[in-house]
Amino acid sequence: MPQTVFRYLAWGLILGLFIVTDTTLAFRPHTLISPNADRFAALFVVGAVFSFAYPKHVLPILLALLTVIVGFELIQKLLAGRHGYMKDIFVKGAGCCAGVVAATALRRALSAMSKPTGTS
């Protein structure tokens, strides 16, 4: 059940990411942190949620998310009033990778802690 919830959440986050990345600036949230920290944090969450949603497919998910990030930035190049920068791709990619790695490590640590230990 939780994995299904993570899957719906993951794809909802991708839709949300598309809306704030590739539509009018009116839909872009304004935060109190720097835009790069905002980008990193948002993609960290996306990467972590996808890692929990598809735990047996970490590498394909990571590659797919990096492709989505590049695609969304390229779409911005086609939109009036928007921009797509390489530095944004690197910040978002780093956040995504960090999220996937952190969630994978957490999942493995929790799995190892839940295994029964041998009795002596």
Side-chain angles (χ1 to χ4, degrees):
M1 177 75 146
Q3 195 172 24
T4 301
V5 172
F6 277 114
R7 287 182 179 179
Y8 282 113
L9 181 59
W11 291 106
L13 288 172
I14 287 293
L15 177 61
L17 185 63
F18 175 76
I19 290 170
V20 299
T21 301
D22 292 327
T23 60
T24 179
L25 287 173
F27 289 118
R28 185 180 180 124
H30 298 285
T31 62
L32 299 176
I33 59 177
S34 75
N36 284 335
D38 191 33
R39 290 177 184 109
F40 184 92
L43 271 296
F44 181 95
V45 171
V46 170
V49 170
F50 265 95
S51 181
F52 286 125
Y54 300 97
K56 295 181 181 179
H57 305 284
V58 174
L59 185 58
I61 286 299
L62 184 56
L63 294 173
L65 288 174
L66 293 173
T67 302
V68 166
I69 291 167
V70 170
F72 284 0
E73 289 297 315
L74 290 175
I75 291 171
Q76 282 190 32
K77 293 278 194 189
L78 304 173
L79 302 174
R82 296 305 304 257
H83 61 275
Y85 294 126
M86 284 300 292
K87 70 175 179 66
D88 293 348
I89 292 173
F90 290 121
V91 170
K92 291 175 181 180
C96 181
C97 290
V100 168
V101 169
T104 300
L106 177 62
R107 193 177 59 254
R108 289 181 180 172
L110 291 174
S111 176
M113 290 188 326
S114 69
K115 289 183 181 176
T117 58
T119 56
S120 300

